[in-house]
Amino acid sequence: MAHGRITGWASNLPEQVLTNDELASMVDTSDEWITARTGIKTRHIGGKVTEMSTRAAADAMAMAGVTADQIDLLILATTTPDQQMPASASVIQDNLGLTCGAFDLNAACSGFVYGLVTAMQFIEGGLERVLLIGSDALSPVVNWEDRGTCIIFGDGAGAIVLERSADQPSLLGWDLMSNGDAADLLYCDHGDKIVMLGKEVFRKAVLAMESASLNAMERAGVNAEDITLVIPHQANVRIIETSLKRLGIPFEKAAMVLEHTGNTSAASIPLALVDALNQNRVNTGDLILMVGFGAGMSSAAAVVRWDPPQN
Ligand code: ACO
């Protein structure tokens, strides 16, 4: 149970859009196949983590009405930092003029939920405001000759401002997991491109989404029927449909952006969250289930009670 209210949110996508038809001119695939097997129509590419993150974070801070000196910690969830070192978080910190600690957190596509749980612990520990960003630029590490991977990945960033709240707790339950024995199913060596055994990842992803969600809901003391909105990792619409069916949650409750973003790894949950909040899909007291999985194989879920910003 933790008391951290989300008071600002924003996202950023690079300008360049790559369509399925364009991909079909690069590898042996088609718009019909990609749409039917993944749900993805377009994705944004050509992004840089520090640039996308800085823009998303600046907008989220403006929305929350907080100044640079009020942020106590910056956490950047990413698996594609711009450089081996320094941490991209340090570059973003400087771009934003923050005067606080900053670090990168790598849990692949589960990174944003890992970051949310981590940020909440810092708030419980006494910090007032934490800036949490999920951002990945996968286009530079995609093998554009491999039709099994290049069709699903894209670039993006999403950011939230979390502020300490005296009200009832907002993080009600969570689950973090890593199954390193499956690490060879999805990896990217230094200086190389992404390698993925898609079918195996798909199978494990469905089970990981289900188990992480069930654990988080059990710890929160809630059931599937209590969940108002699910923010699933945006990897493949069929993974989301199958997992939600197993959980007994109607697909209509899922926030979906992958049709125009593809799989943006650590950015995918905040991109979907920001989209849902901007569409006013959440009301005071609603329960949001965020759930992700990814390379590692990592998985993470969190049940959050929506406690709107008080202006
Ligand atoms: N276009 C046309 N045909 C294709 C394509 C393509 N782009 N890709 C594969 N195929 C073919 C295969 O060659 C195969 O043909 P065959 O039957 O003649 O051998 C057939 O389609 C089926 O291939 P599968 O690999 O079984 O296709 P699948 O339905 O599993 O879809 C996909 C592939 C989309 C990659 C899917 O497996 C998937 O989404 N996996 C999960 C990926 C994922 O979630 N990754 C998240 C990790 S995120 C992170 O941590 C960075």
Side-chain angles (χ1 to χ4, degrees):
M1 295 268 197
H3 299 68
R5 178 189 282 139
I6 299 174
T7 57
W9 55 87
S11 58
N12 185 265
L13 294 166
E15 268 178 31
Q16 192 181 350
V17 174
L18 182 67
T19 67
N20 288 349
D21 284 336
E22 285 169 314
L23 273 170
S25 69
M26 297 157 61
V27 289
D28 183 13
T29 190
S30 65
D31 175 39
E32 292 71 29
W33 194 96
I34 302 171
T35 305
R37 305 300 290 173
T38 70
I40 301 166
K41 295 293 265 183
T42 59
R43 70 286 292 145
H44 292 249
I45 60 167
K48 209 173 160 193
V49 163
T50 51
E51 289 173 4
M52 297 184 292
S53 299
T54 300
R55 292 189 193 112
D59 289 346
M61 285 168 59
M63 179 181 185
V66 302
T67 51
D69 59 308
Q70 291 179 308
I71 299 290
D72 298 319
L73 181 69
L74 162 59
I75 303 175
L76 169 68
T78 188
T79 193
T80 53
D82 287 359
Q83 296 164 281
Q84 178 73 42
M85 60 177 176
S88 286
S90 293
V91 177
I92 298 162
Q93 177 209 25
D94 182 53
N95 290 345
L96 295 167
L98 310 184
T99 49
C100 62
F103 64 90
D104 288 5
L105 180 159
N106 181 355
C109 304
S110 312
F112 185 80
V113 180
Y114 265 76
L116 180 73
V117 173
T118 306
M120 291 287 197
Q121 311 307 311
F122 276 104
I123 285 176
E124 285 302 286
L127 296 190
E128 288 294 326
R129 290 176 197 85
V130 179
L131 177 59
L132 171 63
I133 305 169
S135 179
D136 267 304
L138 294 157
S139 61
V141 286
V142 160
N143 175 356
W144 293 105
E145 292 175 358
D146 174 14
R147 68 177 182 172
T149 52
C150 72
I151 55 159
I152 64 171
F153 293 111
D155 306 342
I160 60 172
V161 175
L162 282 160
E163 297 195 56
R164 193 180 176 79
S165 155
D167 299 341
Q168 55 186 353
S170 48
L171 179 62
L172 304 186
W174 51 269
D175 184 63
L176 304 182
M177 183 48 66
S178 171
N179 285 306
D181 60 338
D184 56 354
L185 297 182
L186 175 54
Y187 63 90
C188 182
D189 286 326
H190 285 300
D192 215 334
K193 305 292 182 189
I194 295 173
V195 177
M196 180 176 78
L197 299 179
K199 221 189 233 323
E200 262 307 287
V201 172
F202 190 113
R203 208 175 59 77
K204 289 196 181 299
V206 169
L207 299 176
M209 296 261 284
E210 182 185 12
S211 128
S213 300
L214 288 175
N215 288 339
M217 288 192 291
E218 188 185 339
R219 284 170 196 153
V222 304
N223 299 313
E225 309 85 68
D226 301 322
I227 301 295
T228 314
L229 181 72
V230 184
I231 318 275
H233 172 44
Q234 311 282 304
N236 184 321
V237 70
R238 291 187 296 129
I239 294 177
I240 297 170
E241 283 168 350
T242 312
S243 318
L244 292 187
K245 200 167 174 192
R246 292 170 71 102
L247 287 164
I249 300 177
F251 180 74
E252 295 65 42
K253 287 192 176 182
M256 297 296 300
V257 292
L258 64 73
E259 185 178 341
H260 72 96
T261 63
N263 176 354
T264 54
S265 194
S268 94
I269 288 178
L271 285 174
L273 173 67
V274 167
D275 186 68
L277 293 175
N278 288 345
Q279 288 185 45
N280 295 316
R281 287 187 68 181
V282 198
N283 296 306
T284 305
D286 282 354
L287 297 186
I288 305 174
L289 170 65
M290 300 186 205
V291 54
F293 66 90
M297 300 269 306
S298 64
S299 57
V303 176
V304 173
R305 176 168 30 217
W306 183 245
D307 187 11
Q310 295 172 342
N311 299 314

